[in-house]
Amino acid sequence: MKVILTADVKNQGKKGDIVEVSDGYARNMLIKKNLGVEATPKAINDLKLQKKNDEKVAAENLASAKEFAKEISTWKVETKIKTGEGGKTFGSVSSKEIAQAVKEQYGKTIDKKKIVLDEPIKSLGTYEVKLKLHPEVMATMNIHVSEK
């Protein structure tokens, strides 16, 4: 019996795959536990439409990420850090503080997990910070750190 998997099944395939399994396994395991549906012509057509829709959504997400990356590259985000005598800093600027500064200055919300810091920012100056907006899109943003 041909079955369309609705979830990843070990040793059978991934979600959306059409697999050939025994009738008993299909009825008693896959269909009963909602891991698959029988591969009728209607179900196969629905699967094709779903895959086309998923590809369209993925393309739109990639395009919007590239557009946002262009916008981010023009930004210069200002952050402040507490300093002592001789310009020595206390602590560092974290990705959470950068995300908060972006929200305050530009009104855009950036997930702090998408901000890639190779090492903590522990001194005054201007830095380039990378953001991973999409698996295929990396953006660079300028951060200017000054004293409070």
Side-chain angles (χ1 to χ4, degrees), residues 47-59:
L47 177 65
K48 287 180 184 176
L49 292 173
Q50 181 67 37
K51 283 186 178 181
K52 274 187 182 178
N53 186 40
D54 290 347
E55 289 172 5
K56 181 181 175 187
V57 168

Side-chain angles (χ1 to χ4, degrees), residues 16-76:
D17 290 349
I18 300 175
V19 295
E20 182 75 37
V21 295
S22 67
D23 292 352
Y25 182 69
R27 278 193 301 272
N28 296 326
M29 174 67 178
L30 297 178
I31 296 172
K32 189 174 185 180
K33 293 187 177 183
N34 293 325
L35 298 174
V37 293
E38 188 175 349
T40 61
K42 181 190 179 309
I44 292 171
N45 191 36
D46 289 346
L47 177 65
K48 287 180 184 176
L49 292 173
Q50 181 67 37
K51 283 186 178 181
K52 274 187 182 178
N53 186 40
D54 290 347
E55 289 172 5
K56 181 181 175 187
V57 168
E60 288 174 357
N61 287 342
L62 178 61
S64 66
K66 285 182 179 179
E67 192 174 306
F68 191 48
K70 287 180 185 175
E71 181 183 344
I72 286 174
S73 65
T74 62
W75 292 357
K76 186 165 185 172

Side-chain angles (χ1 to χ4, degrees), residues 79-93 97 121-124 145-148:
T79 60
K80 296 187 184 278
I81 189 170
K82 202 174 201 180
T83 57
E85 291 182 25
K88 189 170 184 170
T89 60
F90 298 110
S92 64
V93 178
E97 292 168 332
I121 299 173
K122 292 186 175 186
S123 59
L124 305 176
V145 181
S146 58
E147 58 182 288
K148 280 189 180 179

